[in-house]
């Protein structure tokens, strides 16, 4: 994710308060955060991203990579 400058601490606090967020890290470079999210279904993942993440005004860009446990 990319966030508004100087909002990193505020955003990571909000993210870590969400039960779907299992891990969140501040990174340097093209993105500001890497966040590990767990949901039961792809539909729930879609709802989480669109309804909780992308609607945050501080979040400017997201990129989603899906990993499936085998």
């Amino acid at each position: 994710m990319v966030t508004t400058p100087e909002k990193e601490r505020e955003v990571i606090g909000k993210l870590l308060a969400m039960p779907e967020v299992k891990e969140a890290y501040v990174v340097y470079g093209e993105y500001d955060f890497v966040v590990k999210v767990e949901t039961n279904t792809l539909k729930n993942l879609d709802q989480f991203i669109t309804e909780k993440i992308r609607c945050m005004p501080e979040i400017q860009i997201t990129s989603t990579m899906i990993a499936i446990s085998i």
Side-chain angles (χ1 to χ4, degrees), residues 5 8-9 17 20 23-24 30 33 36-37 41 46-47 49 58 60-61 64-65 67 69:
E8 294 88 355
R9 291 185 193 277
E20 297 89 349
E23 300 175 42
E30 186 175 347
F33 300 106
K36 180 179 177 183
V37 174
T41 66
D46 177 57
Q47 288 177 322
I49 292 169
E58 303 89 357
Q60 297 176 352
I61 298 171
T64 304
M65 294 176 221
S69 297

Side-chain angles (χ1 to χ4, degrees), residues 14-68:
K14 289 180 182 180
L15 292 171
L16 288 170
M18 298 176 183
E20 297 89 349
V21 175
K22 303 306 176 190
E23 300 175 42
Y25 301 97
V26 174
V27 296
Y28 299 96
E30 186 175 347
Y31 297 98
D32 297 317
F33 300 106
V34 172
V35 179
K36 180 179 177 183
V37 174
E38 289 183 14
T39 62
N40 295 351
T41 66
L42 289 176
K43 181 179 179 180
N44 289 346
L45 178 62
D46 177 57
Q47 288 177 322
F48 176 76
I49 292 169
T50 57
E51 296 173 11
K52 292 188 178 179
I53 298 294
R54 291 187 179 158
C55 68
M56 293 174 65
E58 303 89 357
I59 300 295
Q60 297 176 352
I61 298 171
T62 63
S63 178
T64 304
M65 294 176 221
I66 298 172
I68 299 173

